[in-house]
């Protein structure tokens, strides 16, 4: 049994016990029966009234609970709709009291969520309005008449996060750009002119509207200032270059140059003014020393002509170079020409440097080639010969590569510029081919000269005999020593001929005192002709030379034998 049934049974037992006790009291008192019935009826009515009231109260409680359930259900449905949540599902087999409690609790939770969402939406809108005022952008659109959903709140938070990041980015960009603008204005000695410039430079950073338009205008202002700064720098560099050029032309002393040394850096207005004044002063001084200036320009012009490999025709094209009437017009012509040739050199600088490099290597190649034919190079010590040979071999490999590289670069340049590239009035490859041709011709000429010299030497040896390489020692006759001479077969032989005979038998060929027969068996009475290359081949020459030497030996031997027999 339930506890409530037990309690009810106990209540009935208590009521019966109370009635029995009342009856005992009434009987002990002696209350008549009719009064007892009245009193029992009063007890019954009192208990009945009490129970009836209790029943009514409990029924009222039930009605209130049911009414609260209906109200909570309606409110829950409304909240679920506003909060965009699924409907509340009631548990089955639950009592009225538990159901009412569950519904009421759920309503309280959902009301709290609604309040929190509305409050968060309010804070998000305030933050959004603050950022929009700073960034000058449109506020985020959200329906304020309804409760925002969790997805809408998340999207709003994400939007504010992106907006905050954009604000930080624009603030960083603004501060950096503002710093650069202030520096540029200081370098340009410029004050803010417009209201926008004053807002940027003079006002606080927080007061500046970080809109896209303002940042674009800020970048445009910085671009204009940097462009003006760049123009000032270029102008200052041009003025400084002009000053340095005039200093060199006018031979300005170092003490006078130091007067403007403080303005040789920087590009502010004060510097530009000082440089321009110096240029004007030097220009006036140039007009006063016009002859000296023209001569200096001509020296510089000649230097640039050499750098640009100008031919004689190209140099003579500028007739004013040879004009000795030093006037201001002539100076202007020279200034124009030097500026033109400088621009021409700058446009072709890379090619000219490549050609110059080739010429330097070519010059070294010729020097090493010349040293290769020098016999004295074998006396060098310290490994110079090996170093020279390595450098010479390196140049032989480098020159063709450099020529091919220059050929490609010049071809590309000619196609781009739509004009031809000349070196000393000729195309570069023609110029290179001419140098190589000249080199080969010189080598061939040297070869022919050596061959001709050798042939002449052979002819001289054939005609006169070979020249002794190491002369033998001879006895020197004193001034008081008489020379002994005897006649053998009608030939006068002096005592000095002994040395000739000794040298002949000793292996050294000298002129014999015996007369030699004519060469090539010439008949007596005919003129003697010197053999030429066309008449005798090298083998014939060697045979004739051997015959001549044998005749000399035979003549010398015969003279010696005659001398000995006469003495005996």
């Amino acid at each position: 049994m339930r506890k409530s049934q037990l309690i009810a049974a106990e209540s009935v037992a208590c009521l019966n016990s109370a009635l029995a006790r009342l009856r005992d009291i009434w009987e002990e008192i002696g209350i008549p029966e009719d009064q007892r019935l009245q009193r029992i009826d009063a007890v019954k009515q009192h208990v009945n009234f009490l129970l009836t009231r209790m029943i009514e109260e409990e029924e009222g409680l039930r009605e209130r609970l049911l009414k609260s359930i209906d109200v909570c259900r309606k409110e829950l449905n409304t909240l679920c709709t506003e909060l965009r949540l699924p409907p509340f599902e009631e548990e089955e087999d639950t009592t009225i009291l538990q159901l009412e409690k569950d519904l009421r609790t759920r309503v309280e939770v959902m009301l709290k969520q609604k309040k929190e969402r509305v409050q968060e939406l309010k804070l998000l809108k305030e933050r959004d309005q603050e950022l929009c005022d700073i960034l000058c952008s449109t506020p985020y659109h959200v329906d304020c008449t309804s409760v925002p959903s969790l997805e809408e709140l998340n999207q709003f938070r994400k939007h504010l996060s992106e907006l905050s990041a954009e604000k930080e980015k624009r603030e960083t960009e603004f501060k950096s750009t503002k710093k650069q603008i202030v520096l540029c204005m200081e370098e340009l000695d410029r004050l803010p002119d417009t209201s926008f410039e004053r807002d940027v430079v003079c006002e606080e950073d927080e007061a500046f509207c970080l809109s896209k338009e303002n940042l674009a205008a800020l970048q445009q202002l910085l671009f204009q200032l940097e462009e003006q700064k760049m123009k000032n720098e270029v102008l200052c560099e041009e003025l400084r270059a002009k000053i340095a050029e005039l200093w060199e032309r006018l031979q300005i002393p170092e003490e006078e140059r130091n007067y403007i040394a403080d303005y040789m850096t920087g590009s502010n207005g004060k510097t530009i003014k000082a440089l321009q004044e110096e240029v004007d002063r030097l220009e006036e001084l140039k007009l006063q020393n016009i002859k000296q200036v023209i001569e200096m320009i001509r020296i510089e012009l000649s230097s640039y002509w050499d750098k640009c490999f100008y031919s004689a025709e190209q140099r003579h094209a500028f007739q004013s170079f040879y004009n000795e009437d030093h006037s201001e017009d002539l100076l202007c012509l020279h200034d124009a020409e030097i500026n033109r040739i400088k621009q021409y050199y700058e446009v072709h600088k890379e090619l000219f440097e490549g050609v110059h490099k080739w010429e330097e290597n070519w010059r070294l190649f010729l020097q090493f080639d010349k040293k290769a034919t020098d016999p004295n190079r074998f006396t060098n010590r310290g490994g110079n010969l090996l170093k020279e040979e390595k450098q010479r071999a390196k140049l032989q490999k480098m020159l063709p590569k450099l020529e091919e590289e220059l050929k490609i670069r010049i071809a590309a340049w000619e196609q781009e510029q739509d004009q031809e590239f000349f070196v000393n009035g000729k195309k570069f490859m023609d110029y290179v081919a001419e140098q190589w041709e000249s080199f080969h011709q010189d080598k061939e000429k040297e070869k022919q000269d050596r061959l001709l010299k050798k042939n002449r030497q052979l002819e001289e040896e054939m005609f006169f005999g070979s020249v002794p390489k190491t002369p033998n020692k001879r006895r020197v006759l004193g001034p008081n020593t008489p020379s002994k001479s005897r006649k053998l077969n009608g030939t006068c032989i002096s005592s000095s001929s002994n040395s000739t005979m000794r040298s002949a038998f000793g292996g050294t060929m000298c002129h014999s005192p015996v007369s030699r027969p004519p060469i090539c068996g010439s008949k007596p009475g005919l003129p003697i002709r010197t053999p030429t290359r066309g008449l005798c081949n090298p083998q014939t020459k060697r045979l004739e030379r051997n015959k001549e030497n044998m005749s000399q030996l035979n003549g010398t031997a015969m003279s010696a034998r005659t001398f000995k027999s006469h003495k005996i």
Side-chain angles (χ1 to χ4, degrees):
M1 295 179 65
R2 295 181 179 178
K3 288 184 178 182
S4 60
Q5 293 177 350
L6 292 174
I7 294 173
E10 290 177 358
S11 299
V12 171
C14 289
L15 180 60
N16 291 330
S17 176
L19 289 174
R21 180 66 178 161
L22 285 174
R23 283 195 302 268
D24 291 338
I25 294 173
W26 290 338
E27 185 175 353
E28 185 179 354
I29 293 174
I31 294 176
E33 185 67 23
D34 55 347
Q35 290 182 357
R36 289 181 186 180
L37 294 173
Q38 292 177 357
R39 288 179 182 277
I40 290 174
D41 186 53
V43 171
K44 184 189 77 168
Q45 290 179 357
H46 181 74
V47 171
N48 190 23
F49 177 75
L50 180 62
L51 292 174
T52 301
R53 286 192 63 184
M54 291 180 66
I55 291 171
E56 290 177 352
E57 288 179 0
E58 296 302 322
E59 287 180 348
L61 176 61
R62 185 185 66 182
E63 293 298 327
R64 288 195 303 273
L65 290 174
L66 292 174
K67 185 177 180 179
S68 175
I69 289 173
D70 291 337
V71 172
C72 289
R73 282 174 176 171
K74 292 179 181 179
E75 194 169 357
L76 271 176
N77 291 333
T78 302
L79 288 173
C80 288
T81 302
E82 290 179 348
L83 298 176
R84 300 171 191 179
L85 296 174
F88 178 74
E89 295 181 359
E90 301 177 2
E91 296 182 1
E92 297 179 358
D93 299 333
T94 183
T95 61
I96 294 175
L97 184 63
Q98 185 65 36
L99 179 60
E100 192 272 340
K101 181 181 178 181
D102 293 342
L103 292 174
R104 180 166 41 83
T105 305
R106 184 62 180 171
V107 167
E108 291 175 355
V109 171
M110 295 185 72
L111 284 174
K112 184 179 180 181
Q113 289 182 2
K114 178 181 178 181
K115 182 179 179 181
E116 289 176 352
R117 290 190 189 184
V118 172
Q119 184 67 25
E120 184 177 3
L121 177 63
K122 181 181 178 182
L123 295 176
L124 292 176
K125 286 184 67 65
E126 291 177 356
R127 178 60 178 167
D128 179 62
Q129 187 63 44
E130 179 183 351
L131 293 174
C132 289
D133 292 340
I134 296 174
L135 301 176
C136 296
S137 59
T138 305
Y140 185 78
H141 175 70
V142 64
D143 188 8
C144 298
T145 59
S146 62
V147 180
S149 64
L150 293 176
E151 182 65 23
E152 289 177 344
L153 290 176
N154 288 333
Q155 291 294 334
F156 204 171
R157 293 191 203 99
K158 183 178 179 181
H159 168 73
L160 289 178
S161 178
E162 294 176 353
L163 213 60
S164 298
E166 182 67 19
K167 171 180 172 290
E168 293 178 0
K169 177 183 175 182
R170 293 187 185 183
E171 283 181 346
T172 304
E173 181 181 356
F174 166 71
K175 291 179 181 179
S176 175
T177 308
K178 177 182 177 180
K179 183 178 180 180
Q180 296 179 42
I181 288 174
V182 172
L183 291 175
C184 287
M185 285 188 171
E186 290 178 355
E187 292 182 6
L188 294 173
D189 291 338
R190 174 180 169 182
L191 295 176
D193 296 334
T194 63
S195 59
F196 178 76
E197 293 178 0
R198 286 190 289 272
D199 290 341
V200 173
V201 178
C202 303
E203 299 296 333
E204 296 293 333
D205 295 348
E206 292 76 10
F208 186 78
C209 180
L210 300 175
S211 64
K212 292 183 178 179
E213 294 76 11
N214 284 352
L215 290 178
L218 200 66
Q219 291 293 337
Q220 182 64 23
L221 175 60
L222 178 60
F223 176 76
Q224 293 175 356
L225 293 174
E226 288 181 343
E227 188 176 13
Q228 184 62 42
K229 178 184 173 183
M230 189 178 300
K231 289 180 180 178
N232 288 357
E233 290 176 352
V234 171
L235 177 60
C236 288
E237 290 300 324
E238 291 177 353
L239 292 174
R240 292 186 184 105
K242 186 69 175 177
I243 289 171
E245 181 181 349
L246 292 173
W247 278 350
E248 294 298 327
R249 289 181 180 176
L250 299 174
Q251 299 296 314
I252 302 299
E254 193 67 28
E255 297 78 11
E256 192 173 346
R257 298 184 186 186
N258 293 333
Y259 171 74
I260 200 173
D262 295 337
Y263 299 101
M264 297 308 286
T265 57
S267 59
N268 53 25
K270 185 178 180 181
T271 301
I272 294 176
K273 182 180 179 181
L275 294 175
Q276 188 62 53
E277 290 176 353
E278 179 66 10
V279 169
D280 296 339
R281 184 184 73 85
L282 293 174
E283 288 290 346
E284 293 179 2
L285 190 61
K286 181 179 73 172
L287 294 177
Q288 297 174 6
N289 301 271
I290 194 167
K291 180 178 180 180
Q292 178 185 356
V293 173
I294 290 176
E295 293 299 327
M296 295 297 294
I297 294 176
R298 286 177 176 175
I299 295 174
E300 186 178 4
L301 194 57
S302 298
S303 174
Y304 272 97
W305 281 347
D306 294 336
K307 290 181 181 179
C308 297
F309 302 97
Y310 261 36
S311 62
E313 292 78 7
Q314 290 175 301
R315 301 185 186 211
H316 283 90
F318 183 59
Q319 295 294 330
S320 300
F321 188 85
Y322 309 98
N323 190 352
E324 297 301 329
D325 184 13
H326 301 93
S327 62
E328 187 174 352
D329 294 337
L330 186 64
L331 178 60
C332 292
L333 292 174
H334 279 72
D335 282 333
E337 180 64 17
I338 192 64
N339 291 332
R340 186 194 67 81
I341 195 64
K342 283 181 178 179
Q343 293 178 358
Y344 177 77
Y345 176 75
E346 290 299 326
V347 172
H348 305 73
K349 185 176 181 179
E350 293 184 0
L351 293 181
F352 285 137
E353 289 178 350
V355 175
H356 181 71
K357 181 180 178 182
W358 180 88
E359 282 205 333
E360 289 294 328
N361 291 328
W362 177 255
R363 193 175 297 110
L364 286 175
F365 174 74
L366 294 179
Q367 291 177 0
F368 287 134
D369 186 76
K370 186 177 180 181
K371 287 182 179 180
T373 59
D374 185 8
N376 294 327
R377 68 191 183 116
F378 294 103
T379 61
N380 292 336
R381 295 183 178 180
N384 292 334
L385 180 59
L386 181 59
K387 293 179 182 178
E388 290 178 2
E389 286 299 324
K390 288 183 178 180
Q391 292 179 356
R392 184 167 175 265
K394 182 179 179 182
L395 286 173
Q396 284 180 335
K397 295 180 180 179
M398 184 187 300
L399 282 173
K401 294 181 180 179
L402 188 58
E403 291 167 9
E404 187 64 25
E405 180 183 351
L406 286 173
K407 180 181 178 181
I408 296 173
R409 290 172 58 186
I410 290 173
W413 183 90
E414 289 179 345
Q415 184 177 1
E416 181 182 353
Q417 300 292 331
D418 194 19
Q419 57 179 327
E420 294 182 342
F421 182 81
F422 292 99
V423 175
N424 293 331
K426 302 175 185 177
K427 286 189 173 183
F428 175 71
M429 295 311 299
D430 296 340
Y431 173 74
V432 171
E434 182 180 325
Q435 296 297 318
W436 279 107
E437 182 65 23
S438 176
F439 171 74
H440 292 309
Q441 288 179 358
D442 291 342
K443 298 294 288 183
E444 185 64 25
K445 184 179 179 182
E446 290 178 3
K447 181 179 178 182
Q448 294 296 334
D449 290 343
R450 289 195 302 270
L451 185 58
L452 182 60
K453 183 179 179 181
K454 183 176 180 181
N455 291 335
R456 288 178 179 174
Q457 184 178 358
L458 289 174
E459 292 175 359
E460 290 178 358
E461 290 179 357
M462 288 172 57
F463 191 80
F464 298 107
S466 60
V467 179
K469 296 182 179 179
T470 306
N472 296 326
K473 295 183 180 180
R474 295 186 179 180
R475 184 182 57 178
V476 180
L477 299 177
N480 300 325
T481 305
S483 177
K484 299 180 180 179
S485 62
R486 297 184 182 181
K487 288 186 179 181
L488 293 176
N489 298 330
T491 304
C492 181
I493 302 176
S494 63
S495 61
S496 62
S497 61
N498 294 331
S499 61
T500 302
M501 289 186 289
R502 286 195 301 270
S503 63
F505 288 103
T508 303
M509 297 298 174
C510 298
H511 298 295
S512 175
V514 181
S515 60
R516 293 192 295 265
I519 299 190
C520 295
S522 300
K523 295 181 180 181
L526 294 178
I528 299 174
R529 293 178 296 176
T530 303
T532 60
R533 296 175 61 185
L535 297 177
C536 300
N537 53 28
Q539 186 175 4
T540 307
K541 291 179 180 179
R542 287 194 295 270
L543 291 173
E544 292 177 353
R545 181 180 172 186
N546 291 335
K547 291 178 181 180
E548 181 183 357
N549 292 333
M550 291 299 296
S551 64
Q552 292 177 7
L553 290 173
N554 293 333
T556 306
M558 289 174 61
S559 300
R561 285 196 297 271
T562 306
F563 176 76
K564 288 180 180 179
S565 61
H566 185 269
K567 185 175 181 181
I568 292 171

